[in-house]
Amino acid sequence: MCAEALRSHSSLGLLRGIAVLPSRDQMNAHPLQFDVVEPPWWIVWSAIAFFAFANAVGEELLWRGLLLREIGRSPTWLLYALQAVSFGIAHWFGLPGGLLGCVLTAMASLVFLWMHRRWGLLYSIFAHFVADLIIFVSVAPFVVFARWYVG
C-alpha cells in the first residue's frame, strides 16, 4: 500500500511539473532575464589586490620557502633548475598557459629566487605580488566586461 501511494504521489508531482512548464513559444516571447549585480569599483579592485597578494604569499612560501628548504643543499645550478621547472609546470594552466606560460613563469621563478637569496623572502613576495597584480589587472576587464573565463 505504501509503495503504491508513493508511486501515485510521484506521478502526480511529475504531472504537476509538466503542467506548469512554459511552452517554447512563451519562452521565446518572454525569455527569463536576471539582473546582473555590478559591484562598486572599490570592491573589484580590492578583490584583485587581495587575490594577487594571497597568491604571491602562498606561492612564495611554497616555492621559496618550503621547497627551497628541502632542496637548499643542492648545487646552485640544480636549485635554480628545480625551482624554475617546478614553478613553470605548476603554471601550465595559467595566463598565458601552455608551453609559453611555463617558460615565462619559469623565468619569473628565477628572478624571484634570485631576489629571495639576495634580499630575503619579503622582497620576493613583493615582486611576485606586483607581477600578479599586473596580470590580474590586465585580465579583469575581460572577465568583468566580456564574461570571459579560463576553464
Side-chain angles (χ1 to χ4, degrees):
M1 173 100 175
C2 273
E4 195 173 301
L6 284 175
R7 272 188 294 228
S8 65
H9 286 297
S10 61
S11 298
L12 286 175
L14 180 63
L15 288 175
R16 278 191 224 134
I18 291 172
V20 298
L21 284 176
S23 69
R24 184 174 292 196
D25 293 334
Q26 288 173 323
M27 289 300 293
N28 289 337
H30 304 287
L32 295 175
Q33 295 180 348
F34 299 99
D35 291 333
V36 175
V37 178
E38 294 183 20
W41 65 269
W42 62 271
I43 290 179
V44 173
W45 291 108
S46 298
I48 289 171
F50 171 78
F51 287 116
F53 182 73
N55 186 64
V57 169
E59 288 184 350
E60 287 303 309
L61 288 177
L62 182 61
W63 268 275
R64 262 57 75 191
L66 180 66
L67 185 61
L68 188 60
R69 185 173 62 225
E70 292 298 318
I71 62 173
R73 295 183 191 264
S74 301
T76 303
W77 68 269
L78 183 60
L79 178 74
Y80 276 82
L82 288 172
Q83 287 270 313
V85 169
S86 65
F87 196 70
I89 290 171
H91 288 81
W92 180 266
F93 294 105
L95 291 171
L99 184 60
L100 176 63
C102 286
V103 170
L104 290 174
T105 54
M107 290 178 1
S109 178
L110 295 174
V111 171
F112 299 149
L113 180 57
W114 174 78
M115 292 181 79
H116 176 268
R117 293 186 69 148
R118 183 165 175 110
W119 295 300
L121 184 63
L122 289 179
Y123 285 90
S124 64
I125 288 174
F126 180 74
H128 196 146
F129 167 67
V130 170
D132 282 350
L133 195 59
I134 291 168
I135 293 168
F136 291 3
V137 166
S138 65
V139 169
F142 294 104
V143 174
V144 173
F145 298 114
R147 305 292 188 246
W148 173 78
Y149 67 95
V150 177

